[in-house]
Amino acid sequence: MAIAAAIFLSVPPQTRRSPASIAAPFRSTSSLHFDSLRSNFSSLKNPNLRVSASSMSIGTPEKISTTSFLDRRESGFLHFVKYHGLGNDFILVDNRDSTEPRITPEQAVKLCDRNFGIGADGVIFAMPGVNGTDYTMRIFNSDGSEPEMCGNGVRCFARFIAELENLHGKQSFTVHTGAGLIVPEIQEDGKVKVDMGEPILKASDVPTKLPANKDQAAVKADINVDGVTWNVTCVSMGNPHCVTFGNGQSQNLTVDELNLAAIGPKFEHHEMFPARTNTEFVEVFSHEHLKMRVWERGAGATLACGTGACAVVVAAVLEGRAGRSCTVDLPGGALDIEWKGEDNHVYMTGPAEVVFYGLVAV
């Protein structure tokens, strides 16, 4: 597989630069020069997935038709759009014509590589709906594993679908995921509100081997990680989460002081989590304001995790640390999370933004 460095950047008007200010070897263009890109592919095809900067083209949204770009179906090429939700970034692929992903998990690993690939936390496929839903969303993580769901990813998915279908204004649709039915709603301000469904609290269903200690749930349970006893609450939002607010050494975490790269993998692969786990480390500012850092199963440290933020608020309520409606600060920005008592559903609201458009030879 080789990356064709044809990129359509989405640049806010106030930050756009004139073509003269773009350093060589980049050049401004009013269209994507697919023919010239093809001539460079033969030198790119190698196992190291190298990027050729010499064939890169940069344009602006006014000059390039994104609709015509995404509608192209050329043999041997994969068109994609890179999105991010608070820095949690994904490669979005239009897969609506097939129930099989257009690339393999092994290819996804190469595409997600930040040195030799496009760079992303995962690849998301927009696929035909099943069981009466409008669409299906599948994800390959940067390590090739397939999670059940991703909160930031589903917001990016919603914006991608709106672009593919040329939808404008407030829109909602139903999405089938490995975690069940998810309903994202694009708001008038462009943010996406997502009904994430009901949290799963039964310990064996999360799943965790930690013994249930509160109505079949593991709440403020003790777990020994590398010789330190942590207090954790286990929640599934369709994918497993282990949420901690402190340990035997510090009952009130200062999350910026954590060595996440050292401790995160030890939680992820702990024997108490048979399906591995996402882990959220949380600092409480007030009853309505939390701060978290996350180690994601299959992706490592990321700038944001939507399902993680939902799990954090659920855990904070169960432990009596916060109310049902909170702002959750993540390294990439803030999410608004509400766990409604009326329907027991968790609602997440946050942004999703285009980074750039591109194509890759596969």
Side-chain angles (χ1 to χ4, degrees):
M1 189 193 336
I3 287 186
I7 296 176
F8 162 19
L9 292 171
S10 178
V11 184
Q14 64 270 27
T15 62
R16 289 190 186 122
R17 298 175 291 173
S18 66
S21 67
I22 300 175
F26 304 125
R27 54 192 170 84
S28 179
T29 180
S30 59
S31 64
L32 291 170
H33 298 289
F34 295 108
D35 292 335
S36 64
L37 285 167
R38 287 194 192 93
S39 68
N40 287 282
F41 285 154
S42 59
S43 64
L44 285 171
K45 290 182 178 179
N46 61 77
N48 293 325
L49 196 69
R50 296 183 183 179
V51 176
S52 169
S54 63
S55 65
M56 187 173 287
S57 301
I58 295 179
T60 59
E62 292 86 357
K63 293 182 177 181
I64 298 174
S65 169
T66 61
T67 303
S68 63
F69 174 71
L70 293 171
D71 281 344
R72 288 178 178 263
R73 289 290 185 272
E74 297 168 279
S75 178
F77 295 89
L78 178 73
H79 288 72
F80 67 88
V81 184
K82 183 171 175 177
Y83 279 80
H84 80 87
L86 300 180
N88 197 188
D89 55 346
F90 304 94
I91 299 163
L92 276 292
V93 176
D94 182 3
N95 212 118
R96 292 173 297 166
D97 58 353
S98 174
T99 57
E100 290 298 319
R102 296 185 64 190
I103 62 171
T104 65
E106 293 75 20
Q107 289 174 313
V109 171
K110 293 179 179 180
L111 290 178
C112 290
D113 190 291
R114 296 190 183 278
N115 296 109
F116 296 102
I118 297 165
D121 292 319
V123 180
I124 296 177
F125 306 91
M127 307 176 82
V130 297
N131 301 325
T133 59
D134 297 319
Y135 304 98
T136 294
M137 181 179 83
R138 287 184 63 182
I139 312 166
F140 291 154
N141 280 327
S142 58
D143 70 350
S145 62
E146 183 171 359
E148 300 86 349
M149 228 287 288
C150 174
N152 288 313
V154 78
R155 296 200 315 277
C156 294
F157 181 93
R159 292 292 300 271
F160 183 53
I161 290 295
E163 183 167 18
L164 290 174
E165 304 283 10
N166 198 27
L167 303 175
H168 303 280
K170 195 170 184 177
Q171 302 284 341
S172 68
F173 26 82
T174 55
V175 182
H176 173 75
T177 74
L181 176 66
I182 299 293
V183 185
E185 181 181 83
I186 301 173
Q187 307 293 292
E188 293 291 352
D189 62 2
K191 289 186 178 181
V192 183
K193 181 178 181 179
V194 186
D195 179 352
M196 300 289 285
E198 298 186 57
I200 297 167
L201 301 178
K202 185 178 179 181
S204 59
D205 291 342
V206 171
T208 178
K209 293 181 180 179
L210 289 171
N213 57 10
K214 183 178 180 180
D215 298 327
Q216 297 187 306
V219 179
K220 292 190 74 173
D222 289 345
I223 184 172
N224 187 288
V225 180
D226 202 28
V228 177
T229 300
W230 294 77
N231 306 123
V232 301
T233 292
C234 297
V235 178
S236 172
M237 293 303 307
N239 55 353
H241 293 270
C242 171
V243 181
T244 180
F245 297 85
N247 55 43
Q249 298 173 353
S250 175
Q251 287 299 310
N252 298 293
L253 291 179
T254 302
V255 294
D256 289 338
E257 296 178 357
L258 290 171
N259 185 346
L260 201 58
I263 191 65
K266 294 173 182 176
F267 272 91
E268 178 183 356
H269 298 281
H270 198 283
E271 63 182 359
M272 288 293 104
F273 304 109
R276 298 190 292 165
T277 190
N278 303 281
T279 309
E280 288 77 32
F281 301 87
V282 192
E283 185 173 350
V284 179
F285 292 145
S286 73
H287 215 55
E288 298 82 27
H289 190 189
L290 309 172
K291 181 178 182 177
M292 63 172 269
R293 292 178 67 194
V294 59
W295 182 268
E296 289 198 51
R297 179 186 59 166
T302 62
L303 295 177
C305 176
T307 56
C310 294
V312 160
V313 172
V314 171
V317 171
L318 292 175
E319 293 193 19
R321 298 175 183 271
R324 287 180 171 267
S325 183
C326 295
T327 296
V328 181
D329 292 341
L330 304 100
L335 290 172
D336 294 320
I337 308 295
E338 183 178 10
W339 183 18
K340 287 190 175 180
E342 310 92 86
D343 59 7
N344 199 40
H345 284 217
V346 181
Y347 295 83
M348 169 190 63
T349 304
E353 305 289 344
V354 170
V355 182
F356 61 78
Y357 301 76
L359 74 161
V360 58
V362 295

